[in-house]
Amino acid sequence: MVSAKKHVPIVKKRTKRFNRHQSDTYMCVDANWRKPKGIDNRVRRRFKGQAAMPSIGYGSNRKTRHLMPSGHKAFLVHNPNDVDLLLMHNKTFAAEIAHAVSSRKRVEIIAKAKQLGVKVTNSRARVTVEV
């Protein structure tokens, strides 16, 4: 397994999620962000003490965007042949086995990744044998 190439430190400007206005007050209002559109809305008008709205300023550094803490970017793999695509890019991308892949195929994918020196992020999922 190859370590990731050097990169600038990953800095997240905000780690908390942006919650929808009044989602804490009403059960029927989901927490997923929706932009407030009301004419008198306090959040839309950016009053002091109200929830922050997402804006472009919260974006990550382009060099570290989508990087995992290890320094790799995730690449979704569905079969052992997909691991071949990462042969030349094993310092940039790490394989992530897709959700619907069976345990038998997972063992094959992990073996191929080890042979090619590719990091697998979820290598221990659904591969242990019951005793």
Side-chain angles (χ1 to χ4, degrees):
M1 183 172 64
V2 179
S3 60
K5 63 183 176 187
K6 292 259 191 205
H7 59 83
V8 295
I10 300 170
V11 176
K12 305 274 189 211
K13 293 180 189 168
R14 183 185 168 103
T15 54
K16 286 187 354 187
R17 288 178 58 88
F18 290 99
N19 287 330
R20 187 176 179 178
H21 180 50
Q22 291 190 326
S23 64
D24 55 340
T25 313
Y26 299 106
M27 289 289 289
C28 58
V29 178
D30 201 21
N32 295 334
W33 174 254
R34 297 288 187 277
K35 185 169 171 53
K37 303 240 171 53
I39 57 171
D40 293 331
N41 191 283
R42 309 181 294 192
V43 174
R44 182 190 60 79
R45 291 161 69 188
R46 296 197 175 107
F47 281 13
K48 188 165 47 174
Q50 303 305 313
M53 287 199 297
S55 63
I56 199 67
Y58 287 108
S60 299
N61 183 344
R62 185 172 284 174
K63 291 176 182 169
T64 61
R65 198 174 295 161
H66 306 299
L67 284 188
M68 296 185 281
S70 66
H72 291 95
K73 292 183 180 181
F75 181 83
L76 208 58
V77 170
H78 293 88
N79 57 51
N81 292 339
D82 287 350
V83 181
D84 290 335
L85 299 171
L86 299 178
L87 177 62
M88 301 299 288
H89 307 286
N90 56 1
K91 282 181 174 260
T92 309
F93 291 96
E96 188 164 300
I97 302 173
H99 169 74
V101 178
S102 67
S103 56
R104 186 183 56 143
K105 275 277 194 271
R106 281 172 191 266
V107 172
E108 294 175 26
I109 289 171
I110 292 164
K112 185 137 190 191
K114 185 175 268 189
Q115 176 189 344
L116 298 176
V118 174
K119 178 183 171 75
V120 180
T121 57
N122 55 350
S123 60
R124 283 189 272 169
R126 249 199 292 168
V127 291
T128 53
V129 182
E130 285 186 24
V131 179

